[in-house]
Amino acid sequence: MNKSILLLSAVALVMACSGDKKQTIISENPITVQVSNSASGGGLDGVTASGKIESVNSANVSTRMMGYVTQLAVKTGQNVTEGQLLVSVNSTDLQAKKAQVDAAIQQASSAYANAKKDYERFMQLFKQNSASQKELDDMTTRYEMAQAGLESAQQMKNEVSAQFAYAQIKAPFSGVVTNTFVKEGDMANPGMPLVTLEGGSGKQVTAMVSESEITKIQSGMKAMVLVKSLQKEFSGKVIEVSLSAKNTGGQYLVKVNLDNPDDTVLSGMFVNVHFAVESPKKSNENASQKVLIPESALVKQGQLTGIYTVGSGNVAILRWLRIGKIYGNQVEVLSGLSADEPYIVSADGKLYNGAKVRF
């Protein structure tokens, strides 16, 4: 009995050792796969940058006066129309100032009316040689001063009326409230944001491009924008290119206007932007081309990234790659795969190294 057990153990050990040297996997049913016969970038170069979605129209609404918030008329996520009330600020001081201005206007109006009557009377007396030139000049000066006093009081009223616009904060355009920074009873200070408002007229991308590649970007250039969280790609056009990185840490600001974003694209989403730039013509016809493959074809295991190729005998072979830049939904292969070398894009079953495949 003991000899039989030892014999079986030895046979199992030999089989295990031989299995380490060569593993043979027999698959009776080959896995159907889709193969791409080209991993070439087509001779196109490009610039890739990270960015963030934002609304074309956006504003942090604030006030120029100090006072307590008496009413917060909107909530985050609420749609508003142009001119709709957003925030009310206590205007007791303005009300008192308005009353003072109204009293000053009434006083100035009375003084002007009396001065005008005296001026007209002295004009008649002067024509009848019943008043001297000096008396007429004095009356003219008094009349002009009264007129200027009335105009000054009326301008003060215009100033107070303009201040009331900052006590009743209204929407500068139609859109949606994305954030509120105060609640009723808070103290509002001049310049302090009260409500953030974004218009629904369009979306744009703000991307940061490195100094080594900013010279390749031009206004009007086409771009492809990949929204990472949605895995959706949209076309766009460069509308602004900053030529200074003084306040952006060595990165240059580029704005891209999205052509037709859908309702799933929201402000604040992170994106990859690919600017299609034609590479200069190479004198050497055998010069290597950029190798690009779909990101969906990659296989990731821990820190390793690979792709399945097709070996002799129609078997899947996992090959590890070194990945470079991302261009929209494609990635650049720096090493591990040659241009025009076939690779597996998708499979109907679970692939593994050595699995039989068919096309």
Side-chain angles (χ1 to χ4, degrees):
M1 180 66 67
N2 294 336
K3 292 181 178 181
S4 299
I5 294 174
L6 291 174
L7 181 59
L8 290 174
S9 301
V11 172
L13 180 61
V14 171
M15 291 179 64
C17 293
S18 62
D20 292 338
K21 296 179 181 179
K22 183 177 181 181
Q23 182 178 4
T24 303
I25 301 176
I26 302 176
S27 177
E28 296 181 356
N29 298 318
I31 302 174
T32 302
V33 298
Q34 181 181 355
V35 177
S36 174
N37 293 320
S38 175
S40 172
L44 290 178
D45 199 359
V47 175
T48 300
S50 297
K52 191 166 60 172
I53 299 288
E54 63 181 23
S55 283
V56 174
N57 290 332
S58 61
N60 288 328
V61 183
S62 60
T63 181
R64 289 176 55 183
M65 58 180 295
M66 179 180 292
Y68 290 102
V69 175
T70 57
Q71 181 184 9
L72 179 61
V74 293
K75 297 180 180 179
T76 300
Q78 179 178 339
N79 292 318
V80 296
T81 58
E82 182 178 354
Q84 181 175 338
L85 179 65
L86 302 177
V87 180
S88 294
V89 179
N90 183 280
S91 57
T92 304
D93 294 344
L94 281 181
Q95 294 287 351
K97 189 173 183 180
K98 181 177 180 298
Q100 293 176 356
V101 170
D102 290 339
I105 290 177
Q106 185 176 0
Q107 182 179 1
S109 297
S110 299
Y112 171 74
N114 291 332
K116 183 178 180 181
K117 290 179 181 179
D118 292 341
Y119 170 74
E120 292 174 350
R121 184 169 59 253
F122 268 81
M123 281 290 295
Q124 293 296 328
L125 293 175
F126 179 77
K127 291 179 181 180
Q128 298 172 4
N129 294 323
S130 298
S132 65
Q133 182 67 46
K134 175 68 169 59
E135 292 175 328
L136 178 60
D137 291 342
D138 291 343
M139 193 56 59
T140 302
T141 301
R142 178 187 169 193
Y143 168 69
E144 291 176 349
M145 290 179 62
Q147 186 177 24
L150 177 60
E151 291 178 356
S152 176
Q154 290 174 340
Q155 291 300 324
M156 290 178 61
K157 183 176 181 179
N158 292 336
E159 180 183 356
V160 173
S161 299
Q163 290 292 329
F164 273 103
Y166 298 100
Q168 302 292 316
I169 313 299
K170 298 181 180 180
F173 50 80
S174 299
V176 60
V177 177
T178 58
N179 201 356
T180 58
F181 300 97
V182 293
K183 59 183 181 294
E184 294 182 4
D186 286 347
M187 175 66 74
N189 294 309
M192 181 183 74
L194 304 176
V195 174
T196 299
L197 186 66
E198 291 189 359
S201 58
K203 293 289 190 297
Q204 65 183 15
V205 174
T206 301
M208 306 302 293
V209 180
S210 64
E211 61 183 15
S212 61
E213 296 178 320
I214 187 61
T215 55
K216 302 177 183 178
I217 309 300
Q218 296 179 356
S219 181
M221 178 182 293
K222 296 293 183 180
M224 296 302 297
V225 179
L226 174 65
V227 184
K228 297 180 181 180
S229 58
L230 302 177
Q231 287 301 306
K232 290 183 178 180
E233 196 171 45
F234 302 91
S235 60
K237 184 174 69 174
V238 177
I239 56 174
E240 290 184 21
V241 180
S242 174
L243 300 180
S244 174
K246 180 178 180 181
N247 300 319
T248 52
Q251 299 289 310
Y252 291 82
L253 180 68
V254 176
K255 289 188 177 182
V256 178
N257 192 32
L258 293 183
D259 291 337
N260 294 300
D262 55 33
D263 294 337
T264 61
V265 179
L266 304 177
S267 296
M269 289 184 171
F270 290 96
V271 298
N272 283 332
V273 185
H274 174 60
F275 305 92
V277 181
E278 291 188 3
S279 59
K281 295 182 179 179
K282 300 176 183 178
S283 58
N284 184 8
E285 294 181 357
N286 296 325
S288 60
Q289 292 179 322
K290 190 183 297 294
V291 178
L292 300 176
I293 60 174
E295 190 174 8
S296 58
L298 295 178
V299 178
K300 295 184 179 181
Q301 295 183 6
Q303 300 296 324
L304 300 177
T305 301
I307 197 170
Y308 280 107
T309 59
V310 180
S312 59
N314 289 343
V315 296
I317 298 177
L318 180 59
R319 186 180 299 178
W320 301 116
L321 306 176
R322 188 161 68 93
I323 300 301
K325 296 180 180 180
I326 300 176
Y327 298 91
N329 58 357
Q330 292 186 314
V331 295
E332 178 186 7
V333 178
L334 300 179
S335 63
L337 187 69
S338 303
D340 301 326
E341 186 175 2
Y343 61 92
I344 297 176
V345 178
S346 61
D348 291 342
K350 183 175 179 59
L351 287 176
Y352 51 87
N353 202 21
K356 284 284 187 178
V357 296
R358 63 184 176 187
F359 313 119

